[in-house]
Amino acid sequence: MEASIKKIILATDFSDTSKDAGHHALLLVQNYKAELKALHVFDTSVWNVPARYYLKPGFEGFVEGFEEARQRGKDALKELAKSFDLEVETIFTEGDPGHEIIRVAEELNADLIVLGTHGYTGWKRFTIGSVAELVVRHAPCAVLTIRPKGK
């Protein structure tokens, strides 16, 4: 029996590890002649540290207004899609990242999710949690996680 990968979701938070995951997703898309969908979940939770694009330059920790931050996320997702030099559908959702990635994968009947993991351990993993772990445990399809370089 041959595994068929037709639809790949790249879940990104725009981190360096997500960029590495994007490179892997692109190779898989080319190899399997699959379609690629780039997904970003705008995390509205006050408990999570926002991705770096939410921060104003020079003001570490100062978060822009909600609408401006949302627009920056949408713009960053469009730029990422353009960088692949192929047709990529972008999906921008809001909510809890892990649950939204799973929901979108179910809705789209995805064959593979590709995402980076930050490699948190100990206290950081307990307090921040692991989106990648949640996705691996509950995704309706295969999941490829990419670890940070040097871990």
Side-chain angles (χ1 to χ4, degrees):
M1 184 165 123
E2 186 178 316
S4 178
I5 298 175
K6 303 272 186 221
K7 195 176 299 177
I8 298 173
I9 295 175
L10 169 64
T12 182
D13 65 0
F14 309 112
S15 64
D16 289 340
T17 306
S18 283
K19 288 178 187 173
D20 291 342
H23 295 300
H24 285 82
L26 185 58
L27 290 172
L28 289 164
V29 163
Q30 293 167 341
N31 187 53
Y32 286 98
K33 296 178 179 32
E35 60 182 289
L36 179 61
K37 300 186 181 292
L39 167 66
H40 175 66
V41 181
F42 183 73
D43 189 353
T44 55
S45 168
V46 297
W47 298 108
N48 288 324
V49 176
R52 71 174 189 273
Y53 74 88
Y54 291 95
L55 303 177
K56 279 189 173 181
F59 295 97
E60 296 294 325
F62 179 77
V63 180
E64 292 179 349
F66 191 78
E67 290 302 320
E68 292 86 358
R70 178 186 284 138
Q71 189 57 51
R72 285 181 72 146
K74 289 178 181 179
D75 294 344
L77 188 60
K78 286 178 188 171
E79 286 301 313
L80 175 68
K82 275 195 235 175
S83 75
F84 288 123
D85 199 27
L86 59 104
E87 188 174 327
V88 178
E89 179 185 350
T90 59
I91 304 165
F92 184 90
T93 67
E94 296 183 21
D96 176 72
H99 291 100
E100 281 297 297
I101 293 167
I102 293 164
R103 181 188 64 76
V104 169
E106 287 172 347
E107 280 184 11
L108 297 177
N109 197 26
D111 300 305
L112 178 66
I113 300 168
V114 181
L115 75 160
T117 178
H118 294 286
Y120 294 137
T121 58
W123 182 249
K124 266 190 169 178
R125 183 168 168 266
F126 176 73
T127 57
I128 297 174
S130 174
V131 171
E133 182 179 359
L134 179 73
V135 172
V136 166
R137 289 181 184 263
H138 300 285
C141 59
V143 179
L144 173 63
T145 59
I146 306 301
R147 295 176 52 112
K149 289 181 179 170
K151 290 264 179 179

